[in-house]
Amino acid sequence: MTLNEIMSTNLVQIDPMESAAVAARALARYNVGALPVCDAGGRLRGIVTDRDLVVRCLALETSPANTRVEEVMTSRVVSAPPDMDAAEAAALMGRRQIRRLPVVQDGQLRGMVSLSDLAGVEAERALGAISKNIANF
């Protein structure tokens, strides 16, 4: 199974020039832990997480209203192509200790895969294997 088959495509993204306060409100409104940061052309520039906002803004007593997303985002983002195998993506996420993996093609954000997406795939594979073994009895 490839990332293209399991990735979420209905994404909320944010512009790097928006304020950290707008990012925090978007995280809360959409009940997500991370927002891809994309420029006007849809190119992935970074990712901003709830942790980024706390560690790089609030903990430093910087005003979220006066701090741009580009100042607090993680700019060195690990991403993957849509045709990457889900098991390979899971291994990559484990090695890099990340919970969300942006799916990028030709520099453009196409989707996002989370650990829970991959857990569903692994559960589906396990169930398929169990069903196959039962059928062989």
Coordinates of all heavy atoms in Angstrom, one line a residue, residues 66-108:
N66 N 2.3 38.9 17.6 CA 3.4 39.6 16.9 C 4.5 38.7 16.4 O 5.6 39.2 16.0 CB 4.0 40.7 17.8 CG 3.0 41.7 18.2 OD1 2.1 42.1 17.4 ND2 3.0 42.1 19.5
T67 N 4.3 37.4 16.4 CA 5.3 36.5 16.0 C 4.8 35.8 14.7 O 3.7 35.2 14.7 CB 5.6 35.4 17.1 OG1 6.0 36.1 18.2 CG2 6.7 34.5 16.6
R68 N 5.6 35.8 13.7 CA 5.1 35.1 12.4 C 5.4 33.6 12.5 O 6.3 33.2 13.2 CB 5.9 35.7 11.2 CG 5.5 37.1 10.9 CD 6.1 37.6 9.6 NE 7.5 37.4 9.5 CZ 8.4 38.2 9.9 NH1 8.1 39.4 10.5 NH2 9.7 37.9 9.8
V69 N 4.6 32.8 11.8 CA 4.7 31.4 11.8 C 6.1 31.0 11.3 O 6.7 30.1 11.9 CB 3.6 30.8 10.9 CG1 3.9 29.3 10.6 CG2 2.2 30.9 11.5
E70 N 6.7 31.7 10.4 CA 8.0 31.3 9.9 C 9.1 31.4 10.9 O 10.1 30.8 10.8 CB 8.4 32.2 8.6 CG 8.6 33.6 9.0 CD 9.0 34.5 7.7 OE1 9.1 33.9 6.6 OE2 9.2 35.7 7.9
E71 N 8.8 32.2 12.0 CA 9.8 32.3 13.1 C 9.8 31.2 14.1 O 10.7 31.0 14.8 CB 9.5 33.6 13.9 CG 9.7 34.9 13.0 CD 9.3 36.1 13.8 OE1 9.9 36.4 14.8 OE2 8.3 36.8 13.4
V72 N 8.7 30.4 14.1 CA 8.5 29.3 15.1 C 8.4 28.0 14.4 O 8.4 27.0 15.1 CB 7.3 29.6 16.0 CG1 7.6 30.8 16.9 CG2 6.0 29.7 15.3
M73 N 8.2 27.9 13.1 CA 7.9 26.6 12.5 C 9.2 25.8 12.4 O 10.3 26.3 12.5 CB 7.4 26.9 11.0 CG 8.5 27.4 10.1 SD 7.7 27.7 8.5 CE 9.2 28.1 7.5
T74 N 9.0 24.5 12.2 CA 10.2 23.6 11.9 C 10.4 23.7 10.4 O 9.4 23.4 9.6 CB 9.8 22.2 12.3 OG1 9.6 22.2 13.8 CG2 10.9 21.2 12.0
S75 N 11.5 24.2 9.9 CA 11.7 24.4 8.5 C 12.4 23.2 7.8 O 12.3 23.0 6.6 CB 12.5 25.7 8.2 OG 13.7 25.6 8.9
R76 N 13.1 22.4 8.6 CA 13.7 21.2 8.0 C 12.7 20.0 8.2 O 12.8 19.2 9.1 CB 15.0 20.9 8.7 CG 16.0 22.0 8.5 CD 17.3 21.7 9.2 NE 17.9 20.5 8.7 CZ 19.2 20.4 8.3 NH1 20.0 21.4 8.5 NH2 19.6 19.3 7.8
V77 N 11.9 19.9 7.2 CA 10.8 18.9 7.3 C 11.1 17.7 6.5 O 11.6 17.7 5.4 CB 9.5 19.5 6.6 CG1 8.3 18.5 6.7 CG2 9.1 20.8 7.3
V78 N 10.9 16.6 7.2 CA 11.0 15.2 6.5 C 9.7 15.0 5.8 O 8.6 15.2 6.3 CB 11.2 14.1 7.6 CG1 11.3 12.8 6.9 CG2 12.5 14.4 8.4
S79 N 9.8 14.7 4.5 CA 8.7 14.5 3.7 C 8.9 13.2 2.9 O 10.0 12.6 2.8 CB 8.4 15.7 2.8 OG 9.4 15.8 1.9
A80 N 7.8 12.8 2.2 CA 7.9 11.6 1.4 C 7.1 11.7 0.1 O 6.1 12.5 0.0 CB 7.3 10.4 2.2
P81 N 7.4 11.0 -0.9 CA 6.6 11.0 -2.2 C 5.4 10.2 -2.1 O 5.3 9.3 -1.2 CB 7.6 10.4 -3.2 CG 8.5 9.5 -2.4 CD 8.6 10.1 -1.1
P82 N 4.4 10.5 -2.9 CA 3.1 9.7 -2.8 C 3.2 8.2 -3.1 O 2.4 7.4 -2.6 CB 2.2 10.4 -3.8 CG 2.9 11.6 -4.2 CD 4.3 11.5 -3.8
D83 N 4.2 7.8 -3.8 CA 4.4 6.4 -4.2 C 5.2 5.6 -3.2 O 5.4 4.4 -3.4 CB 4.9 6.3 -5.6 CG 6.3 6.9 -5.7 OD1 6.8 7.6 -4.8 OD2 7.0 6.7 -6.8
M84 N 5.6 6.2 -2.1 CA 6.4 5.5 -1.1 C 5.5 4.5 -0.4 O 4.3 4.7 -0.1 CB 6.9 6.5 0.0 CG 7.7 5.8 1.1 SD 8.3 6.9 2.4 CE 9.9 7.3 1.7
D85 N 6.0 3.3 -0.2 CA 5.3 2.2 0.5 C 5.0 2.6 2.0 O 5.9 3.2 2.6 CB 6.1 0.9 0.5 CG 5.4 -0.2 1.1 OD1 4.4 -0.7 0.5 OD2 5.8 -0.6 2.2
A86 N 3.9 2.3 2.5 CA 3.5 2.6 3.8 C 4.4 2.1 4.9 O 4.8 2.7 5.9 CB 2.0 2.2 4.1
A87 N 4.9 0.8 4.7 CA 5.9 0.2 5.6 C 7.2 1.0 5.6 O 7.8 1.3 6.7 CB 6.1 -1.2 5.3
E88 N 7.6 1.5 4.5 CA 8.8 2.3 4.4 C 8.6 3.6 5.1 O 9.5 4.1 5.8 CB 9.2 2.5 2.9 CG 10.5 3.2 2.7 CD 10.8 3.4 1.2 OE1 10.1 2.8 0.4 OE2 11.7 4.2 0.9
A89 N 7.5 4.2 4.9 CA 7.1 5.5 5.6 C 7.1 5.3 7.1 O 7.6 6.1 7.8 CB 5.8 6.0 5.1
A90 N 6.6 4.2 7.6 CA 6.5 3.9 9.0 C 7.9 3.8 9.6 O 8.2 4.3 10.6 CB 5.7 2.6 9.3
A91 N 8.8 3.1 8.8 CA 10.2 3.0 9.3 C 10.9 4.4 9.3 O 11.6 4.7 10.2 CB 11.0 2.0 8.3
L92 N 10.6 5.2 8.3 CA 11.2 6.5 8.2 C 10.7 7.4 9.4 O 11.5 8.0 10.1 CB 10.8 7.2 6.9 CG 11.2 8.7 6.7 CD1 12.7 8.9 6.7 CD2 10.5 9.3 5.5
M93 N 9.5 7.3 9.7 CA 8.9 8.1 10.8 C 9.5 7.6 12.1 O 9.8 8.4 13.0 CB 7.4 8.0 10.8 CG 6.8 8.7 9.6 SD 5.0 8.4 9.5 CE 4.4 9.5 10.8
G94 N 9.7 6.3 12.3 CA 10.3 5.8 13.5 C 11.8 6.3 13.6 O 12.2 6.7 14.7
R95 N 12.5 6.2 12.5 CA 13.9 6.6 12.6 C 14.1 8.1 12.9 O 14.9 8.5 13.6 CB 14.6 6.4 11.2 CG 15.1 5.0 11.0 CD 16.0 4.9 9.8 NE 15.6 5.6 8.6 CZ 14.7 5.1 7.7 NH1 14.3 3.8 7.8 NH2 14.4 5.8 6.6
R96 N 13.2 8.9 12.3 CA 13.3 10.4 12.5 C 12.4 10.9 13.7 O 12.4 12.1 13.9 CB 12.8 11.1 11.2 CG 13.7 10.7 10.0 CD 15.2 11.1 10.1 NE 15.4 12.5 10.2 CZ 15.6 13.3 9.2 NH1 15.7 12.8 8.0 NH2 15.8 14.6 9.4
Q97 N 11.8 10.0 14.4 CA 11.0 10.3 15.5 C 9.9 11.4 15.2 O 9.8 12.4 15.9 CB 11.9 10.8 16.7 CG 12.8 9.7 17.2 CD 12.1 8.6 17.9 OE1 11.5 8.8 18.9 NE2 12.1 7.4 17.4
I98 N 9.1 11.2 14.2 CA 8.1 12.1 13.8 C 6.7 11.5 13.8 O 6.6 10.3 13.6 CB 8.4 12.8 12.5 CG1 8.6 11.8 11.4 CG2 9.6 13.7 12.5 CD1 8.7 12.3 10.0
R99 N 5.7 12.2 14.0 CA 4.4 11.7 14.1 C 3.5 12.0 12.9 O 2.5 11.4 12.6 CB 3.6 12.3 15.3 CG 4.2 11.9 16.6 CD 3.5 12.7 17.7 NE 4.2 12.5 19.0 CZ 3.8 11.5 19.9 NH1 2.8 10.8 19.6 NH2 4.4 11.3 21.0
R100 N 4.0 13.0 12.1 CA 3.3 13.3 10.9 C 4.3 13.5 9.7 O 5.3 14.0 9.9 CB 2.6 14.7 11.1 CG 1.6 14.6 12.2 CD 1.2 16.0 12.6 NE 0.5 16.0 13.9 CZ 1.1 16.1 15.1 NH1 2.4 16.2 15.2 NH2 0.4 16.0 16.2
L101 N 3.9 13.0 8.6 CA 4.7 13.0 7.4 C 4.0 13.7 6.2 O 3.1 13.1 5.7 CB 5.1 11.5 7.0 CG 6.1 11.3 5.9 CD1 7.5 11.9 6.3 CD2 6.2 9.8 5.6
P102 N 4.5 14.8 5.8 CA 3.9 15.5 4.7 C 4.3 14.7 3.4 O 5.4 14.2 3.3 CB 4.6 16.9 4.6 CG 5.2 17.1 6.0 CD 5.5 15.7 6.5
V103 N 3.3 14.6 2.5 CA 3.5 13.9 1.2 C 3.6 15.0 0.2 O 2.7 15.8 0.0 CB 2.3 13.0 0.9 CG1 2.5 12.3 -0.4 CG2 2.1 11.9 2.1
V104 N 4.8 15.0 -0.5 CA 5.2 16.1 -1.4 C 5.5 15.5 -2.7 O 6.2 14.5 -2.8 CB 6.4 16.9 -0.8 CG1 6.8 17.9 -1.8 CG2 6.0 17.5 0.5
Q105 N 5.0 16.1 -3.8 CA 5.4 15.8 -5.2 C 5.7 17.0 -5.9 O 4.9 18.0 -6.0 CB 4.2 15.0 -5.8 CG 4.6 14.5 -7.2 CD 3.4 13.6 -7.7 OE1 2.3 13.9 -7.4 NE2 3.8 12.6 -8.5
D106 N 6.9 17.1 -6.5 CA 7.4 18.2 -7.3 C 7.3 19.5 -6.4 O 6.9 20.6 -6.9 CB 6.6 18.4 -8.6 CG 6.7 17.2 -9.5 OD1 7.8 16.6 -9.6 OD2 5.7 16.9 -10.1
G107 N 7.7 19.4 -5.1 CA 7.7 20.5 -4.2 C 6.3 20.9 -3.7 O 6.2 21.8 -2.8
Q108 N 5.3 20.3 -4.2 CA 3.9 20.7 -3.8 C 3.4 19.7 -2.8 O 3.5 18.5 -2.9 CB 3.0 20.6 -5.0 CG 3.4 21.6 -6.2 CD 3.1 23.0 -5.8 OE1 2.1 23.4 -5.4 NE2 4.2 23.8 -6.0

